[in-house]
Amino acid sequence: MSDAYTLFAFGAAIAALVLLIAKFKVHPVATLFIIVTSLGLVLGMGGAKTIELVTTGFGNTLASVGLLVIFGCVLGKMLELSGAALRITQAALSLFSGRKVPWAIALASTVVGIPLIADTVVLMLIPVVSAIAYQSKMSMMRLGPILYIGAYVMTSLVPPGPGPLAATSLLGVDLGEATLWGLVVAIPGIIVATLYLLTIKTHVDPKPEFTDHLAGTAAGDGTGKPRLSLGGSGTDADGESERELPPLWMSLVPIFLPIVLIMASSFVVDLFEADNSAGGVLAFLGEPVIALFIGCLAALPLFGRRWSSKETLNDLFEAGLKLAAMPLALTGVGGALATIIRDTEVADSVAEMIQDWGLSPIIVPFLVAAAICTITGSNILGVMTAAAIMEPLAEGLGISALAIYLACGTGAQIMKHANSSGFWVTTTLSNMTVGQGIRSIGVASALSGVTGFAIVYALYGFGVI
């Protein structure tokens, strides 16, 4: 089979994947299955061999990432329903005053966005942001996108978000390294995007349904801090509360404890002797699946006396499982795609073509992820699918799995527009028009991705990753 035919089949498969999802609205899982099986057949693998590779790739991928995605989604649901996310937002607001309040929103979104999907962060915290906009006279065209962009960038680059978890599994990247370098790349992108959003002059009022209860209240209390109601919790900026939120330290522990354990296992365990018991315990606790489960256990006290109820121990876990179903299925089929590509001549042909064109290898995963995200509207699909496509190419391109992961994560941020659920959620709830959404969310997401990739490119150029 000629290289030209192999490359044509691969290119046609990627084009068909994007077309089916973006144009004909076919479910991504069904689309990926169609593409994977079709690619195996047209490349002459035969029906039996194709199905064998699909099921093997699906099973092997889920074996390595399945419980990670499940526990990550359960942890996010626990932080959402316990009030921990609101408590973190309240604390961020207390650190900033006056015109610096947008940075409090960016900080809260960044922290809460580690375990929570960006759309959920917006749905949960938009009443808070709307109240801030109303009482401070700031534009929702600034504050709404700032709320979204922090969580969006973290969801694209930092585990335990489902997209990064799946990508690390597909590429075989150490989760501790992915978390550390993901933060290094993500935070500058959030800062640049926020700085851009603060330059927007157009004023957009918040939606009345979020601010009617504030009519007649003072814009401030003389301290420079806006008084507001935290999304139905009954808690204002001074801490008065009808429904008590969990303490800040208790809210932060389930987020950062798994990260600390995973990173300690990745970077500290090697300092111990091979037979050292302390090193063995730390290595066990730092196993990603154990660390995330410990995070879930650490979130139980957030529910107070309700921690042992059926609603917390059973119903909430089931809600997390439902949330995990989509990324699990996508990850499994993505693993099947990687297996098909690896078992054919596609990887070698594409690697040779890239080298013949003289492209820097690090640009390729960035462009693949950017194209998938921009056309399909999903950063999670972008980072996962790009990782599945690039994993078999890594050896031929001579590029590390970590570099590919970071390039996919930055590319998958570009760019949000009218085909994205997150775009519509943020635009609608922020009372913006589509044009205003593209000027704010669309440009900010592109800036965060380009900024992050510039850092990745520099790290790659200097041989750090």
Side-chain angles (χ1 to χ4, degrees):
M1 192 174 296
S2 69
D3 287 347
Y5 177 81
T6 301
L7 289 173
F8 174 79
F10 180 67
I14 301 304
L17 183 149
V18 170
L19 186 65
L20 287 172
I21 294 175
K23 176 68 175 176
F24 297 105
K25 311 302 179 186
V26 181
H27 194 280
V29 175
T31 299
L32 274 171
F33 181 76
I34 293 169
I35 296 303
V36 169
T37 52
S38 299
L39 190 59
L41 293 174
V42 300
L43 290 177
M45 304 182 72
K49 178 68 171 178
T50 297
I51 296 301
E52 179 186 347
L53 288 175
V54 168
T55 54
T56 299
F58 187 92
N60 289 344
T61 303
L62 286 190
S64 61
V65 78
L67 286 175
L68 290 174
V69 174
I70 289 172
F71 291 151
C73 290
V74 170
L75 176 58
K77 204 67 180 174
M78 295 177 82
L79 294 171
E80 174 189 349
L81 298 180
S82 66
L86 288 173
R87 183 64 185 87
I88 292 168
T89 303
Q90 183 190 58
L93 288 170
S94 70
L95 293 176
F96 297 86
S97 62
R99 309 307 296 178
K100 296 179 181 178
V101 164
W103 291 102
I105 298 172
L107 174 61
S109 176
T110 299
V111 174
V112 176
I114 294 175
L116 290 177
I117 295 173
D119 298 30
T120 301
V121 173
V122 174
L123 288 167
M124 183 169 49
L125 297 181
I126 198 67
V128 180
V129 173
S130 298
I132 293 172
Y134 178 86
Q135 295 179 337
S136 65
K137 307 303 181 185
M138 294 184 186
S139 173
M140 284 300 295
M141 194 171 168
R142 291 183 176 182
L143 300 189
I146 288 174
L147 172 63
Y148 179 74
I149 204 71
Y152 176 67
V153 174
M154 299 302 277
T155 302
S156 304
L157 273 167
V158 180
L165 274 179
T168 55
S169 175
L170 290 164
L171 293 165
V173 178
D174 178 83
L175 211 55
E177 289 189 341
T179 302
L180 174 63
W181 291 107
L183 289 169
V184 169
V185 171
I187 291 174
I190 294 171
I191 292 173
V192 169
T194 302
L195 288 171
Y196 163 73
L197 290 167
L198 290 176
T199 66
I200 293 177
K201 304 298 184 183
T202 305
H203 183 80
V204 176
D205 289 322
K207 292 177 76 71
E209 54 260 44
F210 295 133
T211 58
D212 283 346
H213 66 289
L214 299 173
T217 61
D221 59 5
T223 67
K225 298 176 184 178
R227 295 178 62 86
L228 66 154
S229 173
L230 286 183
S233 69
T235 305
D236 66 22
D238 294 326
E240 299 165 354
S241 142
E242 296 172 4
R243 176 175 71 83
E244 186 177 356
L245 296 175
L248 177 62
W249 70 269
M250 193 180 292
S251 301
L252 291 172
V253 165
I255 297 176
F256 291 106
L257 178 58
I259 293 175
V260 170
L261 290 173
I262 291 169
M263 293 183 68
S265 178
S266 298
F267 300 106
V268 178
V269 167
D270 290 343
L271 301 178
F272 292 92
E273 297 294 335
D275 58 350
N276 187 282
S277 58
V281 171
L282 185 57
F284 173 76
L285 296 178
E287 280 293 322
V289 67
I290 300 297
L292 278 176
F293 186 68
I294 291 174
C296 293
L297 294 179
L300 287 176
L302 297 173
F303 294 88
R305 296 178 180 177
R306 295 179 293 135
W307 78 268
S308 60
S309 67
K310 174 182 177 295
E311 288 76 11
T312 302
L313 296 179
N314 184 79
D315 297 354
L316 191 148
F317 201 92
E318 287 201 4
L321 285 174
K322 292 177 181 177
L323 188 63
M326 172 72 160
L328 278 175
L330 280 174
T331 303
V333 184
L337 175 62
T339 302
I340 291 286
I341 294 173
R342 191 184 305 112
D343 206 71
T344 64
E345 299 175 355
V346 169
D348 294 336
S349 299
V350 173
E352 290 174 6
M353 179 185 68
I354 292 169
Q355 291 171 352
D356 290 342
W357 287 357
L359 292 174
S360 173
I362 194 66
I363 295 176
V364 180
F366 172 78
L367 293 178
V368 171
I372 294 172
C373 178
T374 300
I375 298 172
T376 67
S378 172
N379 63 316
I380 294 177
L381 185 63
V383 67
M384 290 167 57
T385 307
I389 293 170
M390 294 304 304
E391 187 274 333
L393 306 179
E395 185 176 352
L397 292 174
I399 183 171
S400 71
L402 176 61
I404 291 176
Y405 166 76
L406 295 173
C408 290
T410 53
Q413 297 170 40
I414 300 173
M415 63 173 283
K416 283 295 174 182
H417 58 94
N419 65 347
S420 162
S421 62
F423 176 90
W424 282 112
V425 166
T426 308
T427 299
T428 303
L429 296 182
S430 299
N431 208 24
M432 294 188 292
T433 65
V434 173
Q436 290 169 340
I438 291 174
R439 283 174 50 205
S440 57
I441 302 166
V443 175
S445 63
L447 286 173
S448 68
V450 169
T451 301
F453 180 68
I455 296 172
V456 173
Y457 193 86
L459 293 171
Y460 175 77
F462 286 109
V464 178
I465 57 174

